[in-house]
Amino acid sequence: MLTLSQPAATILTDVKSQQGIPDDALLRVAGAADGEQGISLGFVDTPMEGDHTATVHGLAYCVAPEVADALDAAKIDVQEPSVDSAEPTHLVIVPAD
């Protein structure tokens, strides 16, 4: 099942707190909302029917069934910008360790 690195879980937990999202909300990973190829991330009160659920590094999350197989051996991680870059930190999908 998709997992998260410690830095990614920390960033997402911080975002949840900064946006006033309830502590018991879950991160939901699903297919891109606009029908494009890709995934979307958002916080939900409860998982949708068929979602796979887990908790890692203190962050509860669920993965939609339509993307679960494709993300089975992956993790959400952090891609730090280069030292000279003004780019923000990005979340990325990488192979799980």
Side-chain angles (χ1 to χ4, degrees):
M1 181 168 161
L2 175 73
T3 190
L4 292 93
S5 69
Q6 176 69 53
T10 298
I11 286 172
L12 289 162
T13 300
D14 290 348
V15 166
K16 185 166 72 167
S17 176
Q18 291 167 2
Q19 293 185 0
I21 297 169
D23 289 340
D24 59 351
L26 294 91
L27 173 71
R28 185 164 194 266
V29 182
D34 57 9
E36 293 289 321
Q37 190 175 27
I39 63 167
S40 65
L41 302 176
F43 290 100
V44 295
D45 294 329
T46 58
M48 304 281 189
E49 187 173 330
D51 281 359
H52 304 256
T53 61
T55 301
V56 65
H57 306 298
L59 180 68
Y61 66 102
C62 54
V63 181
E66 69 269 13
V67 297
D69 286 344
L71 298 174
D72 186 48
K75 74 176 173 182
I76 298 174
D77 203 356
V78 174
Q79 181 180 33
E80 297 288 343
S82 65
V83 176
D84 299 338
S85 175
E87 289 287 317
T89 299
H90 294 281
L91 295 175
V92 295
I93 303 291
V94 298
D97 298 330

